[in-house]
Amino acid sequence: MTIKNLTRISQVSWALLLLLMIHFGRTTSYDELDVVPIIPEDLLQSWKSILTFYNKYKDEIILDSIYGLFTSKEYVKATLKDAVEGRSVLNEDQIILLGELLPQAEELTKSIVYRLKKSSSNFKYFIQMFENPVPIPSRLTEMNYQHTSNEVNQKQFHSIDHFMMDMMGSNGKPKCTFTDDCINYIRSLRNNDLALTHQILAILLAKQLKCIDTLEAKLKQYGGLLPLQHQLCSRVWDNMMESLKKGLSSSRKQDLFLEQIYSCASTPGFKQFFNQSFINMILHWQSEDGCFRGYKGPYTSLPIKKSIRKPAEVKAYSRKRFKRTEKQLENGCLQHYTALAAGVISLYLRWTSLKSFHPKKEGFNLPDQQQSYGDTIPNLAYTYIIIVVSFGLIILLMCQFSKGKVVYQFKKLFSKWFKL
C-alpha cells in the first residue's frame, strides 16, 4: 500500500469522524422536519372524497361509521358558519363548495340513520347520539402535560356500550346515570390505547347528552373533570409518541392513532394535537376513492422514512387482538378507520381555517419528547460501524508509518482540511 493511498484513506477517515462529531453535537427535533404545510384546500378536498365514499357505500355503512360522519359534518357546519361570518381564511370558491357539500352530508347521514333504525334492533339504544349536537369548543387550549404512572391495568375495558346506555337511559335506568364502575373507569390513570381513548370519548358523550354536570359532580371528590382531562390526554400523548417510535405500520395502529388525536383534539380542544406532521402523514393514508384501508408506505412514523417497499394489501382485523366494531368492504375500505379519519380531518379543517388559528411549532416540545423518533436502533448500528471502521483505518495508517512520517502525514492532512 503506497503512502498516497494511505493518505487518501486517512482523509476519508477524518471526514467520517467529522460528520460523526456534527451528528452527536446536535439533537434533531420534530420542529426541524421538512414537512409540507397542509392548507385548508387539502383538507376540504380530502373531506369531499370521504363524502363520495360514504355516498357510494351508504347501504353498507355500520353504526360506528355513520357516527363518524355525523360528528364530522357537525364540525364542517361550524367551519361554514365561521366562513360566512368572516372569521375564516377560506376563499369564496371554497365557501361555495363547503355550502354544497354540507347539505349532501346531512341528507346522507339522515338516510343512513333511517336505514339503520329499520334494519338494526340495537340501534334504538344509541339513537340519542344522533339527536343531540356534538359539543364544539369555542377555542383551543394548552394541555398541561403531566407524567403519569407506567402501570397498566391488566383488565382494561375495551367497550363502553353499557356505560353509554346508562348515560342515555336506554336500558331502563334514569338518563345521566353514572355507576361506580363507570366513574372508576373514567378516572383511571392506568389504561392505555383503546381503553384510554374510550375514557375520553365517554366524557365527550356526557357533554353531548348534557350529562356533564352530573359527571363533574361525581368526579369532584377525585380532583375534578378538567384536571382529569389533562392527565388522560398526557397519557394519550405518551402512547402516541411510543407508537411513532415503532411506526404505525398497520391499519390497527393507524386507526388507534386517529382515535387518539380525535379524543384530545375535539372536546378538550388541546392545541398539542394539532400538528402539521400529523395531518400531513394522515392525508397520505387516504386512498384515491376517499376511504382508508391500511397504508403501507413511508408515511408511518416521524420523521418520515423513505421506503422502496411497495404497498401491500390490507389484512382484515383480528378480533382476538382488536376488540372493535369494524367492517371491511369488498374493496378493502375499513369503515371505523375511515370514520375516524373523517372526524380528524374535519377537526383540522375547522381550526386551521380560522383567521385566529396560529399553529405553534413547539407542539412536540413536551417533557421527554425532544428527541427525533426515527429508526433509532438501525441508526446507532450504522454509527458504531462507521466509528470502528474509521478508527481502524487511522490505526492502520499509524502502523504503516514510522520514524517521524506519521507526524509529517498528519501535518499534511491537517493543512488540507483546515488550511493551516
Side-chain angles (χ1 to χ4, degrees):
M1 185 177 291
T2 64
I3 294 176
K4 185 177 182 181
N5 290 335
L6 287 170
T7 303
R8 288 177 180 174
I9 292 174
S10 66
Q11 290 173 340
V12 172
S13 301
W14 279 103
L16 291 172
L17 286 175
L18 183 61
L19 289 174
L20 287 173
M21 292 170 63
I22 295 172
H23 172 73
F24 285 110
R26 62 189 297 273
T27 300
T28 303
S29 70
Y30 279 104
D31 300 332
E32 297 168 337
L33 297 178
D34 184 17
V35 178
V36 178
I38 300 299
I39 59 177
E41 178 66 21
D42 299 321
L43 299 166
L44 183 55
Q45 293 301 324
S46 175
W47 193 74
K48 180 182 177 182
S49 296
I50 291 174
L51 200 58
T52 300
F53 158 75
Y54 270 96
N55 189 56
K56 183 176 181 180
Y57 295 97
K58 59 186 176 183
D59 294 333
E60 300 178 60
I61 299 299
I62 60 175
L63 171 61
D64 281 28
S65 186
I66 188 55
Y67 187 65
L69 179 60
F70 175 78
T71 58
S72 177
K73 62 97 175 169
E74 291 287 289
Y75 273 93
V76 170
K77 184 188 295 183
T79 304
L80 182 59
K81 185 175 185 292
D82 290 328
V84 171
E85 295 177 359
R87 294 188 295 272
S88 173
V89 298
L90 297 180
N91 59 42
E92 186 177 350
D93 291 338
Q94 292 169 333
I95 295 172
I96 291 173
L97 178 58
L98 210 56
E100 293 172 350
L101 295 177
L102 182 59
Q104 295 177 29
E106 290 179 331
E107 185 59 35
L108 186 57
T109 302
K110 287 179 182 178
S111 66
I112 296 174
V113 167
Y114 179 78
R115 177 182 60 79
L116 289 172
K117 278 183 183 179
K118 296 290 186 181
S119 61
S120 174
S121 58
N122 293 326
F123 189 80
K124 61 184 178 182
Y125 297 116
F126 304 98
I127 188 62
Q128 291 183 52
M129 295 168 60
F130 301 92
E131 294 177 342
N132 294 276
V134 175
I136 299 177
S138 58
R139 62 183 178 84
L140 296 177
T141 186
E142 292 282 351
M143 179 180 70
N144 178 22
Y145 177 83
Q146 302 171 43
H147 285 288
T148 57
S149 171
N150 291 328
E151 293 183 29
V152 178
N153 182 7
Q154 298 301 321
K155 296 182 179 179
Q156 301 182 53
F157 285 103
H158 284 271
S159 172
I160 59 171
D161 287 359
H162 52 301
F163 297 148
M164 291 166 59
M165 289 190 286
D166 286 346
M167 277 189 260
M168 290 182 279
S170 56
N171 58 355
K173 296 180 181 179
K175 187 179 178 182
C176 299
T177 293
F178 294 93
T179 63
D180 290 342
D181 283 344
C182 179
I183 294 300
N184 289 334
Y185 170 66
I186 289 176
R187 71 183 188 88
S188 173
L189 296 177
R190 295 177 58 194
N191 290 325
N192 280 335
D193 300 335
L194 282 180
L196 176 57
T197 56
H198 284 184
Q199 289 176 254
I200 305 166
L201 292 175
I203 297 172
L204 167 62
L205 184 62
K207 283 192 174 185
Q208 185 184 359
L209 298 174
K210 298 179 175 58
C211 297
I212 198 64
D213 291 341
T214 305
L215 179 58
E216 283 189 291
K218 290 273 189 178
L219 291 171
K220 189 174 182 180
Q221 61 179 310
Y222 303 109
L225 176 60
L226 185 58
L228 176 62
Q229 287 180 299
H230 284 277
Q231 290 174 313
L232 292 177
C233 285
S234 294
R235 195 170 178 91
V236 168
W237 182 270
D238 287 340
N239 281 192
M240 290 172 64
M241 295 300 104
E242 187 63 30
S243 296
L244 286 171
K245 283 184 186 180
K246 299 175 182 178
L248 307 172
S249 56
S250 68
S251 57
R252 180 176 64 87
K253 293 177 181 179
Q254 293 158 18
D255 181 294
L256 176 60
F257 186 73
L258 288 166
E259 187 164 308
Q260 289 167 330
I261 293 176
Y262 183 82
S263 297
C264 294
S266 56
T267 298
F270 289 138
K271 290 181 182 179
Q272 283 86 345
F273 293 85
F274 290 89
N275 188 281
Q276 285 282 3
S277 298
F278 291 168
I279 194 63
N280 185 289
M281 184 167 57
I282 291 166
L283 291 186
H284 278 88
W285 298 348
Q286 189 171 22
S287 302
E288 291 184 1
D289 54 5
C291 77
F292 289 72
R293 288 178 168 82
Y295 174 80
K296 298 289 183 181
Y299 291 86
T300 55
S301 64
L302 297 175
I304 303 303
K305 298 178 294 183
K306 292 183 179 180
S307 174
I308 59 174
R309 178 176 54 182
K310 293 183 179 180
E313 293 183 1
V314 66
K315 295 182 179 179
Y317 282 4
S318 170
R319 292 189 181 276
K320 291 182 179 179
R321 295 179 57 201
F322 199 56
K323 298 180 180 178
R324 169 174 290 147
T325 303
E326 178 62 280
K327 181 179 179 181
Q328 180 174 310
L329 301 175
E330 290 183 0
N331 64 351
C333 292
L334 294 167
Q335 292 202 42
H336 188 274
Y337 183 179
T338 302
L340 285 170
V344 170
I345 289 167
S346 63
L347 272 171
Y348 270 77
L349 176 61
R350 192 281 164 112
W351 291 108
T352 59
S353 63
L354 287 176
K355 292 177 180 177
S356 59
F357 181 78
H358 300 291
K360 302 185 75 174
K361 290 184 178 181
E362 63 268 25
F364 283 102
N365 293 345
L366 296 177
D368 298 331
Q369 305 295 352
Q370 300 280 351
Q371 69 270 29
S372 173
Y373 295 117
D375 282 334
T376 307
I377 295 176
N379 286 344
L380 285 175
Y382 291 137
T383 300
Y384 291 145
I385 291 172
I386 292 173
I387 291 174
V388 171
V389 171
S390 298
F391 277 106
L393 290 172
I394 292 173
I395 292 172
L396 176 63
L397 176 65
M398 295 178 68
C399 292
Q400 292 290 327
F401 293 102
S402 59
K403 299 179 181 180
K405 291 184 179 180
V406 173
V407 176
Y408 170 75
Q409 289 296 327
F410 270 86
K411 283 184 178 180
K412 184 178 179 181
L413 176 63
F414 273 88
S415 65
K416 285 187 177 181
W417 276 97
F418 300 100
K419 300 186 183 303
L420 296 175

